[in-house]
Amino acid sequence: MKRADLYIRVSTDEQADKGYSQRDQEERLKRYCDNNNIIVGQIIYEDYSAKTFNRPEWIKLLDTLKKKSSRTNLLLFTKWDRFSRNAGDAYQVINTLKKLNVEPQAIEQPLDLSIPENKMMLAIYLAAPEVENDRRALNTYYGMRRAKKEGRLMGRAPYGYVNKISENGRKYVTLKEPEASNMKWAFNEIAKGIFSASQIMDMMNKRGGKSAKLSAFLASLRNTAYCGKIFVEQYNEEEAHFVPSIHEPLISEELFEKVQNIMDGNINVVRPNVKTLSDDNLPLRGFLICPDCNHLITGSASTGRSGQKYYYYHCKAPCGYRYKAEIVNNKFLEVLQSLEMRESIKKYLKKVLKQNFEKLINNPQHERKAVLSEIDKLNNKLKHARNKLLEDVIDDDEYFEIKSECKIQIEKLESRLTKGKEQSKVDFPKLLDNALNHIINLGKTYSDGDIGIKRKIIGSIFPEKLEFLENHYRTARVNVLLSYIYQINNELGAKKNRKENELSPLSGLVPRTGIEPVLLRTGV
């Protein structure tokens, strides 16, 4: 009498949609064995995909069949797609079972595999489910690709958005507060180039709403959906491209591109990698490099015997660089005080900057006319395309492509008009006066500010890392405007009767030439 092991396999979708429950398969297999006087051996239940034979229960079954103690003659299952959905793998496994004197058989699709012609029918039984799966997957892919081309955001909504379903059953995404405001704030902070992404994420999580994790946050900063662009990947001869989204953008394309450049290191900004922001004793941590090995300098505190903490800046590398934080901080304050602008030149500098602003920026009328002219050209282009469509010169796809391109360009130009209106409302003299007052009292502004203010001042003034050696800073190239102010301070000290017209053109106030650019060197 033959002995058979019963192999019962289901997957979640088949169990729910097609009724291939384990109990149903077991009942049919046992009935078959009773009717054919077959002894039932072990019953194997598998809840795994049939795309490969890398299935936990199947591996255990095969190990059992390879043992000499196994008396199994048959391996029974209901249909061949319960056994496999991959024809190539199935033939190899069937040959393996034959070497073990075990015959695989589907009770509802019986085949005598000793007859060569039956292998053709076996190929059909095995290939049909695979073709069905591939067709279903391809249809799903086409549907998702079409949705992306329409500007729809597929899958789970990113941080700041939420998935919703309209009354007619159509899915869409919309902004979710306060996460949307948090993410917009994060993009703006990254664009400033002052804090690292992890620090900004920590600060963002404290603003309220759902907390973000670092890996997801970094991925979000690369997601073009935030600026209203959906990526459509390459397929066949169609190249990869972006389409405008139908959901509301969270940020502008300009801001998104700036953040990408900062994250890629394409913009020369200070992006410190600082572990903490709360320690006011180490404001320069992340802005200093070791003068011996050029590694980034960190900082920490050591506790003395009396329990008092002593702060040091030190190198991570084993070069031994170490300096008291108090000395480094005090010398940096002296550097800032040397950059302070004299009150005597404030009115001249204010006049020069105001004239430049009015000449280069605060004259929106000419630019407004140019923008309106470009918008008119695009509208005319769209009008001509519409006429060609009506005359059957171009088809629908060509027309909609032209329309989409024109719409994007018109929206950008309209955005420039809006920005121009907002810019014209800026009280530039008041902002300039406030900024110059800070430059006059730069040292005091730094000393009185919290750790965030201190780091913003450092990052905005010094575009490169600082080196501190032998009680002074070296190679401290400053912001170009402060470099001019520093030069004016020195030249006015040497020539107090300098005429006003000699001070006007900033283009003439360039750093003096030499082997190196003008460097700031204090404490020597």
Side-chain angles (χ1 to χ4, degrees), residues 26-43:
E26 181 180 355
E27 181 182 344
R28 283 183 283 171
L29 289 169
K30 284 184 175 180
R31 188 186 309 119
Y32 176 85
C33 291
D34 289 340
N35 295 335
N36 293 275
N37 296 321
I38 299 174
I39 298 174
V40 176
Q42 58 180 333
I43 302 176

Side-chain angles (χ1 to χ4, degrees), residues 110-370:
L111 289 174
D112 184 357
L113 296 180
S114 63
I115 301 174
E117 287 77 11
N118 282 346
K119 291 184 179 181
M120 295 178 63
M121 186 58 67
L122 175 61
I124 294 174
Y125 285 148
L126 293 172
E130 186 177 0
V131 171
E132 181 185 356
N133 278 352
D134 291 345
R135 172 49 58 189
R136 188 186 300 115
L138 193 59
N139 289 340
T140 301
Y141 175 77
Y142 283 151
M144 294 180 66
R145 186 174 179 83
R146 171 49 56 188
K148 287 182 179 180
K149 286 185 174 181
E150 294 174 357
R152 299 188 180 278
L153 185 60
M154 304 302 295
R156 186 177 179 181
Y159 184 88
Y161 290 91
V162 62
N163 296 96
K164 288 192 175 182
I165 302 178
S166 61
E167 295 181 356
N168 60 4
R170 197 172 185 84
K171 296 180 180 180
Y172 67 100
V173 296
T174 186
L175 294 176
K176 179 186 177 184
E177 294 293 351
E179 287 81 1
S181 297
N182 289 347
M183 199 64 196
K184 186 174 183 179
W185 174 86
F187 270 102
N188 282 291
E189 289 301 311
I190 290 285
K192 294 177 183 178
I194 304 299
F195 301 114
S196 66
S198 60
Q199 293 167 347
I200 291 174
M201 184 198 70
D202 291 337
M203 291 186 284
M204 183 187 76
N205 288 339
K206 294 178 182 178
R207 289 166 58 92
K210 184 180 179 181
S211 295
K213 295 183 179 180
L214 183 58
S215 58
F217 178 69
L218 293 175
S220 296
L221 294 175
R222 299 287 192 181
N223 193 343
T224 57
Y226 286 105
C227 65
K229 295 167 66 178
I230 303 296
F231 178 71
V232 181
E233 64 275 9
Q234 180 183 1
Y235 182 71
N236 291 339
E237 296 181 358
E238 185 177 7
E239 296 182 356
H241 60 282
F242 288 94
V243 297
S245 67
I246 62 174
H247 67 264
E248 180 183 351
L250 192 64
I251 59 173
S252 65
E253 290 185 28
E254 291 77 12
L255 177 58
F256 182 83
E257 289 301 326
K258 185 175 182 180
V259 170
Q260 304 315 299
N261 286 327
I262 290 176
M263 294 182 68
D264 292 338
N266 295 333
I267 293 182
N268 188 21
V269 294
V270 178
R271 298 177 61 241
N273 182 19
V274 185
K275 294 182 179 178
T276 62
L277 296 175
S278 58
D279 199 336
D280 194 53
N281 296 283
L282 299 168
L284 289 161
R285 184 166 62 181
F287 291 98
L288 298 168
I289 58 172
C290 179
D292 298 327
C293 65
N294 288 325
H295 280 81
L296 191 66
I297 288 176
T298 185
S300 61
S302 60
T303 305
R305 294 180 179 178
S306 62
Q308 183 177 358
K309 287 188 175 182
Y310 299 91
Y311 292 86
Y312 293 89
Y313 291 107
H314 55 86
C315 186
K316 295 180 180 179
C319 68
Y321 178 89
R322 180 183 176 91
Y323 241 99
K324 286 185 178 181
E326 183 179 3
I327 296 176
V328 178
N329 294 340
N330 289 339
K331 287 297 180 181
F332 182 77
L333 183 59
E334 292 180 12
V335 170
L336 293 183
Q337 290 170 344
S338 70
L339 291 172
E340 290 179 348
M341 182 177 64
R342 298 182 183 183
E343 181 72 37
S344 59
I345 68 167
K346 175 184 174 182
K347 62 179 181 179
Y348 295 108
L349 188 60
K350 183 178 180 180
K351 182 177 180 179
V352 171
L353 292 176
K354 185 179 178 182
Q355 288 175 350
N356 279 294
F357 178 81
E358 292 173 349
K359 181 179 180 181
L360 302 177
I361 301 177
N362 201 24
N363 185 19
Q365 195 64 31
H366 178 72
E367 183 174 344
R368 181 178 176 82
K369 289 182 179 179

Side-chain angles (χ1 to χ4, degrees), residues 3-7 40-44 60-61 64-65 70 72:
R3 178 186 178 91
D5 289 343
L6 310 183
Y7 184 70
V40 176
Q42 58 180 333
I43 302 176
I44 298 89
K60 293 179 183 178
L61 171 62
T64 303
L65 295 176
S70 174
T72 300

